[in-house]
């Protein structure tokens, strides 16, 4: 009985141990199955997540490449545009313009148109720095119109009462001022009023009168010589043709056109030092020879304007557009001048550079025209006056 009970207890304990082992195995199996299920689920989720990421990355890369291409194309187009603009700026004509305050202008005075013959020789001027022929003509004529408003009383600044006095005074004006000639000729014409009188003069006596004008010996020879030619070849009268005037001793084209334009009313361009300087500053021509300058500038204007044009340019050169220091700040044509800035541009400083009537000083003539006096001009003092 004891054995039977013991064996029963042993069998029961064995069954209990076996049950525990079976339960443990079942738990382990369940745990393994759960892990396997979780792993499959994770594996299934992973490809779905990575695929959009890859697609997104690919999209970003493509977008970046497209943006880079567009940026490069934009830079190239911008570079080409900038290059074209730079080339256009280089090709465009340079215009130096600056506003300038107009000085007080004298009232306009009616002037009669001049009719007559003119030299046949004309040439078309070279347009400077790409300026078209039409633009050059328009600019030149506008400058002349502006100067006509500033100097409506412009006139030859040599005193004369007849063609003989004018031709002699013009010959004497070489290498000196008109003022000095005007201060000298009253004594000369008082003693030798006609070509016949001057042709028979004693050279030493004439030299003494002409001494203040400089180069008085050469000038004495010229005025006595032209007086003899007038007496012998033209009956004591000054001829009214260019080809006759240039045959007289001391008379060139410049002197001839002064006489023709102001004594006979026949158009002519007077190319003196002032005229040469200004038309080159304004780029009307690049010529340096006086005859070529005359032809080039004459081609820009009607013949009827030539004489007054000469007065306007010469007056402006003497009063404002000086050789060494132009009064740019007081210039009425500054916006039209390519050389603006070569002189003083400050208006107050420029005013101090003005000469003759614009600066409150007398003009060149002892006996100026009434229109000049009416406009506020002052006559020059006689020789020896303080």
């Amino acid at each position: 009985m004891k054995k039977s009970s013991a064996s029963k207890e042993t069998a029961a304990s064995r069954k209990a141990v076996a049950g525990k082992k079976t339960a443990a195995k079942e738990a382990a199996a369940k745990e393994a199955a759960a892990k396997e299920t979780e792993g499959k689920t994770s594996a299934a989720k992973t490809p779905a997540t990575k695929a959009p990421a890859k697609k997104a990355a690919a999209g970003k890369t493509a977008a970046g490449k497209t943006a880079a291409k567009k940026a490069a194309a934009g830079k190239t187009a911008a570079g080409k545009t900038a290059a074209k603009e730079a080339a256009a700026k280089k090709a465009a004509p340079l215009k130096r313009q600056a506003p300038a305050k107009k000085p007080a202008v004298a009232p306009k005075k009616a002037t009669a148109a001049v009719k007559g013959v003119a030299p046949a020789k004309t040439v078309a001027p070279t347009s400077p720095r790409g300026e078209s022929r039409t633009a050059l003509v328009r600019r030149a004529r506008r400058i002349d119109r502006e100067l006509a408003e500033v100097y409506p009383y412009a006139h030859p600044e040599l005193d004369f009462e007849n063609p003989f006095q004018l031709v002699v005074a013009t010959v004497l004006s070489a290498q000196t001022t008109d003022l000095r000639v005007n201060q000298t000729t009253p004594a000369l014409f008082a003693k030798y009023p006609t070509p016949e009188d001057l042709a028979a003069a004693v050279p030493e006596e004439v030299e003494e009168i002409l001494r203040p004008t400089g180069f008085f010996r050469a000038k004495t020879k010229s005025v006595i010589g032209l007086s003899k030619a007038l007496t012998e070849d033209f009956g004591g009268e000054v001829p009214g043709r260019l080809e006759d005037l240039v045959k007289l001793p001391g008379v060139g084209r410049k002197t001839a056109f002064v006489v023709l334009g102001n004594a006979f009313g026949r158009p002519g361009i007077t190319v003196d030092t002032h005229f040469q300087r200004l038309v080159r500053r304004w780029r009307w021509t690049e010529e340096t020879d006086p005859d070529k300058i005359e032809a080039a500038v004459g081609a820009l204007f009607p013949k009827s304007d030539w004489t007054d044009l000469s007065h306007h340019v010469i007056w402006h050169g003497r009063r404002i557009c000086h050789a060494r220091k132009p009064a740019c700040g007081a210039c009425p044509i500054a916006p039209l001048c390519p050389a603006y800035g070569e002189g003083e541009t400050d208006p107050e400083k420029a005013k101090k550079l003005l000469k003759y009537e614009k600066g409150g000083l007398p003009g060149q003539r002892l006996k100026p025209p009434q229109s000049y006096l009416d406009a506020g001009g002052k006559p020059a003092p006689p020789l020896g006056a303080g």
Side-chain angles (χ1 to χ4, degrees), residues 164 189-202 206 224 227 231:
F164 170 65
F189 295 138
K191 191 170 184 178
Y192 310 105
T194 67
E196 292 82 2
D197 295 328
L198 190 53
V202 177
V206 177
I224 290 179
S227 297
T231 301

Side-chain angles (χ1 to χ4, degrees), residues 15-28:
K15 284 182 181 180
V17 171
K20 287 181 180 180
K21 288 182 179 180
T22 301
K25 285 181 180 180
E26 288 177 359

Side-chain angles (χ1 to χ4, degrees), residues 304-341:
S304 58
D305 292 347
W306 287 358
T307 299
D308 287 339
L309 169 70
S310 299
H311 293 326
H312 298 154
V313 175
I314 292 170
W315 273 55
H316 192 63
R318 286 174 171 170
R319 285 154 176 77
I320 295 178
C321 196
H322 312 137
R324 295 184 180 179
K325 197 170 184 180
C328 294
C331 180
I333 60 165
L336 302 171
C337 181
Y340 176 82

